[in-house]
Amino acid sequence: MNEWPNGWSGDQSGNRYGHGSGSAEPEGARAMPQVRRDAGPGYQRHEPPLPPSMSPRRGAAVPPQQSQGYDDAYDGYNTGQVYGGGRGGGDGYDDGRGRAGRPRPQWGRRIKWTVIALVAVLSVASVATYFWADGKLRRKVDLSKVIDRPATGDGTNYLIVGSDSREGMSAADKQKLHTGSAEGKRTDSMMILHDGSNGPTLISLPRDSDVEIPTYIGSDSGKKYPGTGRHTKLNAAYAEDGPELLVRTVEYNTKLHIDHYVEIGFAGFANIVDAIGGVEMDIPKAFKDKNSGADFPAGKQTLNGQQALAFVRTRHAFAGQDLDRTKNQQKFLATLASQTATPATVLNPFTLYPTMSAGLDTLIVDKDMSLWSLGNMFFAMKGVTGGDGKSMNMPISGSTGGNLVWDKAKLRQLVQQLNNDEKVTVSGN
């Protein structure tokens, strides 16, 4: 019996499988399931399949197809290609059963736009924060009123002043912080911070330092007050005519140019400490002072704003009085800066903004101070206790009438090293 449909025979070399047929119909789907049912005469195995929408009905004539120039030896069936295509097309993928799956997610594009959106948000937040903080800076000190100034050197010199201003404090605050209710304000601490290429240097100026009040221009009156050779304590210069006379006196007695002035009062100092959740200190020896309210055991402990203020103000509990106090002030300020300039504070808006607000609300700076310069000062303070940083007291040679006299030879060497931005080798008390 002839097993080939429509009179075909297995020895018809011209009509073998895969090379067309003389019949009006191709092999049945039962015998050759790879061949499309709707393929008509002229259908060539090496031609690409027609889309489903153009597929003719079974038995209908199909116009002759143009050869695509493929090699006749190519066997399209070995590729595993399924004729008829799939649904969806485009970027879909085959699910293994001849059906198109969902398009693959374009993760590269998603990540790119997420990063762009994040950068945009951070940029807007940074700009807004800058203008907010810049608007809160109180630029009250006019250094242009300071006369006969020494030449500028390399690096940047900041005069940092902690005043006993009670501005913004209630009666309860004054009692809590043991500040008293004295009128006006005086300097409780004074430091020169030099920021240069050889690391930062922090020099404390004892408030009892013996200095000469030079000729100066009154900050409010504009009147010229000739120098008479009068000597007094350094903090008296501030009490006499404020920051401008203090800068003038420091420059006259040190021959060091002051680039920027920064002052913070009691309330601002305590609020900064509370805003960051306290400052951890290691106190080597227990001490008490009823005047400042200090009462500290020895060892590591976290100081809140009230305790921190008492720590930096205490002098009567120490044999060295003001010299010992300045050392504690340096240690605390460097620790405060180090613990504040951390990702936990900078990247957390719930900590960053209260901290900045607490400081900026009571911070007084010179009129040329920018946020950039203020930030540089802050990070220089952080680096005082690490790397090439150095902290010291002004070298003292003795005392006269209760005032501490600076060592003139060491002072000249110190100023020369600072002006030349050299590594400081001078030692202080």
Side-chain angles (χ1 to χ4, degrees), residues 46-373:
H46 53 268
E47 292 177 353
L50 293 173
S53 61
M54 297 178 62
S55 178
R57 295 182 179 179
R58 179 175 182 178
V62 178
Q65 304 297 311
Q66 298 294 325
S67 173
Q68 302 299 316
Y70 297 127
D71 190 340
D72 286 342
Y74 173 79
D75 188 352
Y77 300 112
N78 291 337
T79 67
Q81 180 178 359
V82 179
Y83 288 101
R87 293 175 296 172
D91 295 332
Y93 62 92
D94 196 314
D95 66 357
R97 293 178 293 177
R99 296 179 299 181
R102 300 178 65 181
R104 294 184 178 90
Q106 298 180 348
W107 291 109
R109 181 177 297 179
R110 292 183 182 181
I111 292 174
K112 180 184 74 173
W113 285 108
T114 299
V115 171
I116 291 175
L118 181 60
V119 170
V121 170
L122 291 177
S123 298
V124 172
S126 299
V127 172
T129 299
Y130 179 90
F131 284 105
W132 168 78
D134 188 73
K136 292 180 74 69
L137 271 181
R138 300 196 293 171
R139 298 181 174 92
K140 292 185 175 182
V141 180
D142 189 358
L143 296 183
S144 67
K145 295 180 180 179
V146 181
I147 62 174
D148 299 334
R149 309 191 68 185
T152 58
D154 295 331
T156 303
N157 299 316
Y158 300 86
L159 180 60
I160 303 173
V161 175
S163 76
D164 64 358
S165 171
R166 282 88 172 163
E167 181 181 2
M169 297 175 61
S170 65
D173 291 333
K174 295 174 184 178
Q175 182 177 4
K176 175 183 176 182
L177 298 176
H178 297 267
T179 64
S181 300
E183 296 298 328
K185 60 180 182 179
R186 286 156 295 278
T187 53
D188 217 50
S189 61
M190 291 161 285
M191 304 177 187
I192 294 175
L193 174 64
H194 174 82
D195 184 21
S197 58
N198 275 294
T201 302
L202 184 63
I203 308 160
S204 287
L205 309 177
R207 69 175 191 175
D208 293 340
S209 297
D210 184 81
V211 294
E212 179 181 340
I213 300 296
T215 300
Y216 69 96
I217 303 294
S219 57
D220 293 328
S221 65
K223 181 181 177 181
K224 188 173 185 177
Y225 296 88
T228 61
R230 173 170 56 99
H231 281 245
T232 185
K233 293 182 179 180
L234 181 59
N235 65 340
Y238 181 95
E240 186 171 327
D241 198 52
E244 287 86 358
L245 179 55
L246 178 61
V247 172
R248 168 73 174 130
T249 303
V250 169
E251 289 189 339
Y252 178 82
N253 286 269
T254 63
K255 305 301 184 289
L256 184 68
H257 183 90
I258 300 299
D259 298 290
H260 291 293
Y261 177 91
V262 181
E263 176 187 328
I264 189 168
F266 283 161
F269 181 83
N271 290 340
I272 290 175
V273 175
D274 286 334
I276 66 170
V279 175
E280 184 178 351
M281 295 290 296
D282 187 0
I283 300 177
K285 185 177 179 181
F287 65 88
K288 294 183 179 181
D289 183 6
K290 65 177 182 179
N291 293 305
S292 66
D295 186 1
F296 298 107
K300 289 185 177 181
Q301 51 204 287
T302 299
L303 309 186
N304 60 26
Q306 176 184 351
Q307 293 170 324
L309 188 58
F311 180 83
V312 299
R313 293 183 62 217
T314 298
R315 60 182 299 194
H316 299 294
F318 308 124
Q321 293 282 310
D322 205 33
L323 291 176
D324 287 339
R325 178 172 70 165
T326 56
K327 294 177 183 178
N328 279 345
Q329 291 172 345
Q330 291 177 346
K331 181 179 179 181
F332 184 87
L333 290 178
T335 304
L336 172 63
S338 180
Q339 294 183 18
T340 303
T342 62
T345 299
V346 176
L347 299 180
N348 184 355
F350 298 102
T351 303
L352 175 63
Y353 287 100
T355 301
M356 292 180 65
S357 181
L360 295 174
D361 281 344
T362 59
L363 201 66
I364 296 175
V365 298
D366 64 272
K367 292 186 175 182
D368 294 326
M369 175 71 82
S370 66
L371 282 177
W372 180 262
S373 296

Side-chain angles (χ1 to χ4, degrees), residues 208-211 231-233 396-406 408:
D208 293 340
S209 297
D210 184 81
V211 294
H231 281 245
T232 185
K233 293 182 179 180
I396 304 297
S397 62
S399 63
T400 177
N403 296 351
L404 299 174
V405 178
W406 294 347
K408 297 295 190 292

